[in-house]
Amino acid sequence: MITFMNNSDSEEEPCNERTSLMSAESPPVPSYQDGPQASEAGEAQAHRKRRTGGSRSPNTVADREMSDSGVPVRESALENEEEELTLKYGAKHVIMLFVPVTLCMIVVVATIKSVRFYTEKNGQLIYTPFSEDTPSVGQRLLNSVLNTIIMISVIVVMTVFLVLLYKYRCYKFIHGWLILSSLMLLFLFTYIYLGEVLKTYNVAMDYPTLFLVIWNFGAVGMICIHWKGPLQLQQAYLIMISALMALVFIKYLPEWSAWVILGAISIYDLMAVLCPKGPLRMLVETAQERNEPIFPALIYSSAMMWTVGMAKPDTTTRGPSQQTWDAAEAGRENHRSSSHTDSQMSETRSPASTRPITSSEELEEEERGVKLGLGDFIFYSVLVGKAAATASGDWNTTLACFVAILIGLCLTLLLLAVFKKALPALPISITFGLVFYFSTDNLVRPFMDTLASHQLYI
Amino acid sequence: MGAAVFFGCAAIAFGPGLALALLTVAAEPLRVIVLVAGAFFWLVSLLLASLIWFISVHLSDRDDAKQQYRLLIFGAAVSVLLQELFRFAYFKLLKKADEGLATISEDGRSPISLRQMAYVSGLSFGIISGVFSVINILADSIGPGIVGIHGDSPYYFITSAFLTMALVLLHTFWGVIFFDACERRRYWCLALVVATHLLTSGL
């Protein structure tokens, strides 16, 4: 267990930190960032756009605005048209986000409901050292608050660390870290997951076959995420690793701590995005100054893939123009990082860019993608998974949380379009999710149960 | 019991609703958003209704079965009224959204008409209401057990499934009628919707 915990710790660490930082780094154009990182990144993006905007066509201004709003917006010269496109494309992009978030949640809920392993208590992470097996309620509450404080401070420290690394240009270190964490996620966690699923369904499996399967899965995943690969495969991998990460959290975070952590991290997100002194902001600004794309890190992209490479300093960097499905290192980072949805596309379009990516440019034209940080996926799935695991109301609670999170996402995108500046993505959804979880579990469940037993339909 | 009952009842309960959703709503992103938002509104109304019921139960005598039953009826009635109230609120919101979409669109018309939104919102209320009513029953139907072994009806699952299907479709129709009535200010239509809803729940 200790070894495992260590592993997961190291896994966690990069994740935690990265996510925090990464999100910020990601040049999420859209200010829709949910996590501190995201916001930063988004802002950076936005700023960057502004800077480079000049060289672009008049669309850039529009782009900037669009990117700010985080909604994939097509570049359009007219403000009105932009607004309209924003909304029109906004709806499409909202759906482009609904689908992966839903898929991730489905995977997590299906696993929780069928595989017993993830609901058994088998120790805790090193980040939450206080146990919740205490006799009194007050003690338990205190322990969970302490756990939360430790976890959040770990995240903050990691974020600051990452910002420092980025500031002092220790790119190799960051890349290495990302690769290491994605390796761990893709191989070790998948091995454990597969093992548990096979155990649940009592399927016999021999080691050579298992090795082959996991090797293929992991190797293709590494390539897809860090280098190039088909978009859908990459999206599938990102969804799967988010689900795996969420499952780890669901398993190893004690009950009350998990809820308090969810609440605390959305408050942190809110503060980090809206306060001028956050590490994420610094990250974004640094990236802007250097005119570099921030690590796309672990960002889910619904269309073009961001080039993670820091090495793409110019034209193409700005946007997903790179047709490169480079998820690059950055991807991993985002694990926890809050995500930011980028309206990458808006930025991307630099008509000037004459890379051999014409196809991508065309693609961009037609379909601006939306980016959402993986940290968001993870926390949404943690909430819904916990609801599925621990609620006695079973499916009603899970469904209520699911709808709440989707509506939160929708509202956040709407606010983004209205305010046109970086906004955190976690707070609204998590707040709705928490409110719905507790109220459905305690109020709605007895009501519906009683109604159902009398076969009364409302 | 088992998978056959589960799949059968699920198909009965959600067949029409899901078919409607897949064929008409799934393709258009705006409609999907209207669907999910409608579900949200219904959930909020349910939350408030169950809060009221919960408080009333706590304030009453727990052991008196008759009183509990009456409180349940009261809770159901309150829930119906709240649902209609939230349907009205959703109508107002959609109306505003419609105007907003119209103003920012290129040709001055919004990409989705109020009628479509009425239909989708009715469908959303129906689906979420049906799901909430029957999903736990369906989950139980997979497991082992015998229905009605204590003297209740053995047809519990299948009747629940049919009732749910009826409810889904009714909500859809109520949504359309309601929105139309609000548009044209035909208050008797509104009253009709509310009355039939109460009647259906009371049956």
Side-chain angles (χ1 to χ4, degrees), chain A residues 84 87 439 452 455 457-458, chain B residues 47 83 104 106 156 159-160 201:
Chain A
E84 171 219 328
L87 208 54
S439 54
Q455 227 174 16
Y457 281 84
I458 53 169
Chain B
L47 212 102
Q83 278 180 47
I104 69 173
E106 278 175 339
Y156 183 67
T159 51
S160 301
S201 297

Side-chain angles (χ1 to χ4, degrees), chain B residues 9-77:
Chain B
C9 288
I12 291 177
F14 297 118
L18 223 66
L20 282 173
L22 277 175
L23 288 175
T24 57
V25 174
E28 286 271 321
L30 262 180
R31 290 184 203 161
V32 177
I33 295 179
V34 172
L35 193 82
V36 178
F40 179 72
F41 271 71
W42 187 88
L43 278 175
V44 175
S45 83
L46 182 68
L47 212 102
L48 290 175
S50 38
L51 180 69
I52 293 175
W53 175 80
F54 195 74
I55 294 176
S56 72
V57 162
H58 269 273
L59 291 176
S60 73
D61 178 17
R62 290 286 188 99
D63 300 322
D64 186 359
K66 267 207 126 41
Q67 192 187 32
Q68 293 298 314
Y69 188 66
R70 269 185 256 123
L71 276 179
L72 187 69
I73 304 284
F74 166 69

Side-chain angles (χ1 to χ4, degrees), chain A residues 203-372:
Chain A
V203 175
M205 175 74 79
D206 54 308
Y207 275 116
T209 313
L210 188 70
F211 172 73
L212 206 64
V213 168
I214 290 187
W215 169 251
N216 279 323
F217 180 80
V220 175
M222 288 298 285
I223 293 176
C224 259
I225 293 173
H226 291 262
W227 194 50
K228 303 184 214 279
L231 181 66
Q232 300 213 311
L233 196 60
Q234 185 185 34
Q235 291 173 339
Y237 268 106
L238 290 176
I239 291 175
M240 282 199 278
I241 58 181
S242 307
L244 281 174
M245 210 46 225
L247 283 169
V248 165
F249 278 137
I250 294 172
K251 181 174 171 62
Y252 287 110
L253 285 180
E255 296 268 345
W256 291 16
S257 304
W259 298 113
V260 183
I261 284 176
L262 275 174
I265 213 162
S266 34
I267 296 176
Y268 169 59
D269 206 20
L270 191 68
M271 286 191 336
V273 171
L274 300 176
C275 292
K277 282 279 174 183
L280 287 176
R281 261 199 187 177
M282 275 178 14
L283 195 62
V284 166
E285 281 161 13
T286 317
Q288 280 178 297
E289 286 163 26
R290 296 181 195 171
N291 226 4
E292 280 172 350
I294 306 181
F295 292 116
L298 228 45
I299 303 190
Y300 173 92
S301 162
S302 59
M304 300 316 260
M305 209 26 233
W306 240 137
T307 325
V308 170
M310 301 289 284
K312 299 228 189 203
D314 37 56
T315 51
T316 33
T317 20
R318 244 354 271 322
S321 20
Q322 287 23 330
Q323 159 80 21
T324 49
W325 311 96
D326 290 330
E329 302 83 323
R332 266 320 104 152
E333 291 313 346
N334 272 8
H335 262 283
R336 269 290 235 100
S337 14
S338 321
S339 25
H340 29 250
T341 23
D342 304 314
S343 308
Q344 248 339 37
M345 298 309 209
S346 31
E347 235 193 349
T348 338
R349 251 357 117 116
S350 18
S353 164
T354 48
R355 298 288 181 55
I357 354 190
T358 16
S359 53
S360 56
E361 279 197 353
E362 273 163 26
L363 189 61
E364 286 177 25
E365 284 292 352
E366 285 150 22
E367 203 182 294
R368 299 263 167 162
V370 181
K371 291 186 202 297
L372 184 67

Side-chain angles (χ1 to χ4, degrees), chain B residues 36-168:
Chain B
V36 178
F40 179 72
F41 271 71
W42 187 88
L43 278 175
V44 175
S45 83
L46 182 68
L47 212 102
L48 290 175
S50 38
L51 180 69
I52 293 175
W53 175 80
F54 195 74
I55 294 176
S56 72
V57 162
H58 269 273
L59 291 176
S60 73
D61 178 17
R62 290 286 188 99
D63 300 322
D64 186 359
K66 267 207 126 41
Q67 192 187 32
Q68 293 298 314
Y69 188 66
R70 269 185 256 123
L71 276 179
L72 187 69
I73 304 284
F74 166 69
V78 165
S79 159
V80 166
L81 291 172
L82 274 174
Q83 278 180 47
E84 296 304 326
L85 186 70
F86 271 81
R87 209 197 288 272
F88 181 67
Y90 197 38
F91 164 74
K92 281 257 167 271
L93 180 74
L94 283 179
K95 199 132 188 273
K96 260 206 209 134
D98 192 41
E99 287 162 16
L101 281 172
T103 46
I104 69 173
S105 84
E106 278 175 339
D107 52 359
R109 290 170 350 148
S110 92
I112 183 172
S113 79
L114 201 61
R115 289 263 174 86
Q116 287 177 20
M117 291 204 274
Y119 158 68
V120 175
S121 80
L123 188 62
S124 71
F125 268 48
I127 291 182
I128 191 79
S129 160
V131 165
F132 258 64
S133 305
V134 95
I135 197 91
N136 282 328
I137 299 176
L138 282 178
D140 286 337
S141 74
I142 296 187
I146 301 182
V147 193
I149 197 168
H150 288 290
D152 299 310
S153 156
Y155 300 114
Y156 183 67
F157 286 148
I158 195 119
T159 51
S160 301
F162 273 108
L163 280 171
T164 309
M165 173 180 76
L167 197 72
V168 168

Side-chain angles (χ1 to χ4, degrees), chain A residues 5 9 121 123-132 143-144 146-152 154 249 252-254 257-258 261:
Chain A
M5 269 171 28
D9 285 353
K121 287 287 323 163
Q124 296 179 199
L125 291 173
I126 196 176
Y127 300 108
T128 53
F130 293 94
S131 155
E132 285 193 6
N143 280 355
S144 52
L146 288 172
N147 279 340
T148 310
I149 292 176
I150 295 176
M151 185 73 118
I152 299 288
V154 164
F249 278 137
Y252 287 110
L253 285 180
S257 304
I261 284 176

